[in-house]
Amino acid sequence: MNNINQEEFLKMLNKKAEQTMNSFNKQEPTLFKHEYIGTCEDGFIKVKITCYNKWLNEEVSIILNNDQFGTVPFPGGHLSRLIVSNNDGETNTLYGYFSENIREHNECFYIDGIVDTLESGATDEFFGGYG
């Protein structure tokens, strides 16, 4: 690993990310779109995930590894906060729940949680709705 240059390493990293996404998408039909955006300075891949949100009644997107996704531990899992944007560039905050560890050895669990939140996550207006 020490004998490869940065360009070869990035090619290898990008190829691995593409293989992972292809493998994930072959599992079953998906209701989301994904797009490679770029690579961060620390080597993480930036991916844009887009889904139709039933509460906002529009498509929303999030870019992973771009400070738009945050979590906090919660008994039995994690609560998540996603800062999403619509096609007009307007932002909204969605909240969701991951019932287990976020970063399992299988990235599909992580992506499933994000897609679930994009599709049906609660907005700020839903909190306090049972007053």
Side-chain angles (χ1 to χ4, degrees), residues 41-58:
E41 291 178 11
D42 58 6
F44 284 100
I45 303 294
K46 287 186 181 182
V47 176
K48 179 179 180 180
I49 297 178
T50 304
C51 293
Y52 184 83
N53 182 278
K54 65 182 181 181
W55 305 114
L56 298 174
N57 199 26
E58 64 184 340

Side-chain angles (χ1 to χ4, degrees), residues 18-19 25 30 34 43 51-52 54 63 73 77 108 123 125 130:
E18 186 177 336
Q19 288 172 343
N25 286 333
T30 58
H34 68 279
C51 293
Y52 184 83
K54 65 182 181 181
I63 298 176
C108 293
T123 62
E125 289 78 32
Y130 292 105

Side-chain angles (χ1 to χ4, degrees), residues 79-82 93-97 117 120-125 127:
L79 295 176
S80 64
R81 183 185 77 179
L82 283 66
T93 302
L94 297 177
Y95 300 93
Y97 179 73
T117 304
S120 58
T123 62
D124 288 325
E125 289 78 32
F127 289 98

